[in-house]
């Protein structure tokens, strides 16, 4: 039985794929954060619709939402930092043709 050896992917192709995968993962994480914010919005709406909600409950919900928004903001900053790593060396076209600036 004859075995065929394939060439490993070119460095530029694997680099471009890695950058693309990084950007896609950031987009997926941003979608997840958007769902969290939507859930917080629904929590506020439900609480506001309840007739018997007292001020203490509203303050608790407000503080809870505030903590979640602060956490989401920190995570968004981390995602932005990930993207900034490759801002100057993203592939100009898809698929990557290797005519990009080198990353440092």
């Amino acid at each position: 039985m004859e075995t065929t050896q394939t060439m490993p992917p070119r460095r530029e192709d694997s680099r471009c794929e890695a950058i693309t995968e990084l950007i896609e993962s950031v987009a997926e994480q941003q979608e997840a954060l958007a769902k969290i914010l939507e859930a917080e919005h629904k929590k506020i709406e439900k609480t506001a619709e309840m007739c018997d909600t007292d001020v203490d409950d509203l303050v608790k919900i407000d503080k809870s939402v505030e903590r979640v928004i602060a956490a989401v903001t920190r995570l968004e900053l981390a995602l932005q930092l990930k993207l900034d790593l490759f801002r100057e060396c993203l592939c100009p076209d898809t698929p990557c043709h290797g005519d990009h600036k080198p990353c440092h």
Side-chain angles (χ1 to χ4, degrees):
M1 185 168 203
E2 185 177 316
T3 60
T4 307
Q5 185 175 2
T6 59
M7 294 292 291
R10 289 188 359 234
R11 183 176 182 272
E12 293 85 15
D13 290 343
S14 61
R15 178 185 175 278
C16 188
E17 287 174 18
I19 291 171
T20 300
E21 288 174 10
L22 175 83
I23 293 169
E24 287 172 354
S25 74
V26 168
E28 290 171 2
Q29 292 171 48
Q30 287 177 324
E31 285 180 35
L33 293 175
K35 289 178 183 178
I36 290 170
L37 292 175
E38 179 64 26
E40 292 301 301
H41 171 77
K42 288 179 182 179
K43 183 192 322 183
I44 292 169
E45 280 186 334
K46 289 283 186 189
T47 303
E49 291 171 1
M50 297 171 68
C51 295
D52 60 344
T53 305
D54 64 10
V55 175
D56 289 337
D57 289 337
L58 292 173
V59 170
K60 287 178 187 175
I61 293 295
D62 182 63
K63 287 184 181 192
S64 170
V65 170
E66 185 180 333
R67 282 191 305 272
V68 170
I69 290 173
V72 168
T73 301
R74 288 188 302 273
L75 292 168
E76 278 289 346
L77 178 58
L79 294 175
Q80 184 62 49
L81 292 172
K82 277 185 184 181
L83 291 177
D84 286 347
L85 289 172
F86 298 101
R87 184 168 306 281
E88 296 299 321
C89 59
L90 292 175
C91 301
D93 299 316
T94 302
C96 182
H97 297 292
D99 52 354
H100 47 268
K101 296 179 184 178
C103 293
H104 301 295

